[in-house]
């Protein structure tokens, strides 16, 4: 883990590329905390499962422990160009896809011990964190750490576009979603630490996998923070997603983008980008890291 000294910063988007939920910029002051240098890996999660016998959300219904269907969302690369308005063209629910079988029941994590664990829900990530004596980071902690001391920059490395210069992180290059040219060296997940760290020594704070945060998601939350200094904010008490199917479902924040992010559809690798999902949601490009005090 890496120690992040407390400090004050402006949270949110300082450029014009952000979505509505990234504005306005607002002042946040944080106490110091430790944060994992990398995303939690398959090897890390395996230790947890072996020690506790934990069964993930994606696996529970297979054992009759849940009303949720077994499996997870897995990326399916189309054979030809498709409309970018319908993500079902490249996302498919796959029975048997879980953290041990990232792309489906015939896949395996053998040889991928140093890859980020995926297909884990917020509930799974929280259970791991408790076992490890840690917590999930708040959204404010995550962004502060990701910025690495940079002020009002678009990315964890500064303002240089992601595909300018040398590869900086694991994202999608080429024609999304039907052709990834692999310019950054990977066409799918990458082992943790495959790219240079930010100024705080943290790896993959942009790209590779979206990372769960502790906070509830509220699209309007930043507006309530605009006029005063937020000290160690824990996020809103409830969640609100204007595009959600069921407003009664509690949704949590995810940060950082993934290997599927491409400027044509998603710049999730921008340091202020936000995403949300229910606590039982899981997918091939979702993982997490932890913090401690």
């Amino acid at each position: 883990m890496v120690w992040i000294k407390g400090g004050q910063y402006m949270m949110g988007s300082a450029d014009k590329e952000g979505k509505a939920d990234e504005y306005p910029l607002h002042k946040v002051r944080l106490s110091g905390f430790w944060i994992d240098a990398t995303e939690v890996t398959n090897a890390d999660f395996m230790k947890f499962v072996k020690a506790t016998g934990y069964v993930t959300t994606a696996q529970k219904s297979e054992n009759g422990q849940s009303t949720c269907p077994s499996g997870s969302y897995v990326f399916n690369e189309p054979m030809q160009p498709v409309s970018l308005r319908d993500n079902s063209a490249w996302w498919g629910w796959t029975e048997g896809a879980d953290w041990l079988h990232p792309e489906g029941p015939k896949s395996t994590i053998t040889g991928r011990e140093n890859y980020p664990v995926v297909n884990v829900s917020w509930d799974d990530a929280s259970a791991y964190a408790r076992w490890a004596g840690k917590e999930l980071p708040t959204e404010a902690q995550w962004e502060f750490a990701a910025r690495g001391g940079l002020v009002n920059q678009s990315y964890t490395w500064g303002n240089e576009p992601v595909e300018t210069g040398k590869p900086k992180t694991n994202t999608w290059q080429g024609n999304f979603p039907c052709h990834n040219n692999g310019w950054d060296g990977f066409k799918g997940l990458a082992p943790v630490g495959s790219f240079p760290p930010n100024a705080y020594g943290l790896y993959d704070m942009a790209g590779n996998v979206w990372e769960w945060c502790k906070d509830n998601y509220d699209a309007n939350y930043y507006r309530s923070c605009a006029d005063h200094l937020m000290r160690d904010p824990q996020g809103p008490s409830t969640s609100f997603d204007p595009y959600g199917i069921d407003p009664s479902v509690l949704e949590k924040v995810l940060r950082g983008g993934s290997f599927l992010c491409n400027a044509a559809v998603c710049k999730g690798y921008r340091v202020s980008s936000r995403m949300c999902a229910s606590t039982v949601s899981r997918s091939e490009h979702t993982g997490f890291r932890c913090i401690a005090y």
Side-chain angles (χ1 to χ4, degrees):
M1 302 188 85
V2 174
W3 174 251
I4 305 297
K5 184 180 179 181
Q8 184 171 309
Y9 78 111
M10 297 299 292
M11 185 176 180
S13 178
D15 59 35
K16 297 181 180 180
E17 291 193 286
K19 296 181 180 178
D21 64 357
E22 298 175 44
Y23 302 100
L25 280 170
H26 53 284
K27 293 180 181 179
V28 171
R29 181 174 293 170
L30 296 174
S31 304
F33 58 95
W34 294 91
I35 187 168
D36 290 340
T38 71
E39 295 145 344
V40 172
T41 65
N42 287 319
D44 296 328
F45 204 78
M46 179 66 79
K47 293 177 183 177
F48 160 59
V49 171
K50 286 184 175 180
T52 64
Y54 184 82
V55 180
T56 64
T57 303
Q59 299 169 307
K60 283 181 179 177
S61 59
E62 298 174 4
N63 300 322
Q65 299 179 31
S66 173
T67 57
C68 296
S70 63
S72 184
Y73 279 104
V74 171
F75 174 74
N76 297 308
E77 186 172 319
M79 299 299 293
Q80 58 190 14
V82 296
S83 171
L84 298 181
R85 295 182 178 181
D86 181 10
N87 62 17
S88 66
W90 58 87
W91 279 115
W93 185 261
T94 303
E95 289 190 19
D98 53 44
W99 76 276
L100 287 168
H101 309 93
E103 294 90 30
K106 295 183 180 181
S107 64
T108 177
I109 60 170
T110 300
R112 301 189 199 181
E113 290 79 8
N114 201 37
Y115 281 61
V117 63
V118 295
N119 295 329
V120 285
S121 67
W122 186 90
D123 291 341
D124 300 331
S126 296
Y128 173 93
R130 288 192 298 271
W131 169 79
K134 302 178 182 181
E135 299 179 12
L136 295 181
T138 66
E139 186 175 14
Q141 289 170 330
W142 191 97
E143 184 173 320
F144 184 72
R147 289 185 177 279
L150 298 179
V151 178
N152 292 343
Q153 303 292 290
S154 297
Y155 311 108
T156 63
W157 56 83
N159 279 327
E160 185 177 71
V162 68
E163 293 182 34
T164 298
K166 296 180 180 180
K168 304 170 184 64
T169 187
N170 185 19
T171 58
W172 182 287
Q173 299 87 43
N175 183 20
F176 184 87
C178 57
H179 175 65
N180 186 342
N181 63 35
W183 172 78
D184 61 18
F186 299 93
K187 291 188 176 181
L189 283 175
V192 299
S194 294
F195 297 87
N198 72 359
Y200 285 166
L202 305 177
Y203 295 88
D204 304 312
M205 296 298 284
N208 217 21
V209 295
W210 284 96
E211 300 181 11
W212 287 111
C213 291
K214 180 180 180 180
D215 305 39
N216 296 332
Y217 173 82
D218 185 334
N220 299 322
Y221 178 60
Y222 284 16
R223 298 177 192 175
S224 67
C225 306
D227 298 326
H228 55 284
L229 175 65
M230 302 293 291
R231 299 176 183 271
D232 293 316
Q234 301 295 302
S237 58
T238 59
S239 68
F240 171 67
D241 176 9
Y243 303 105
I245 297 176
D246 185 350
S248 68
V249 172
L250 181 66
E251 296 194 1
K252 296 289 185 174
V253 173
L254 297 106
R255 287 300 206 105
S258 79
F259 70 94
L260 293 174
C261 283
N262 177 271
V265 290
C266 165
K267 278 194 172 184
Y269 49 81
R270 291 175 56 260
V271 74
S272 59
S273 289
R274 310 172 73 201
M275 190 172 78
C276 62
S278 75
T279 59
V280 295
S281 177
R282 60 271 189 191
S283 69
E284 186 190 353
H285 70 158
T286 302
F288 67 102
R289 75 180 70 211
C290 301
I291 62 103
Y293 299 102

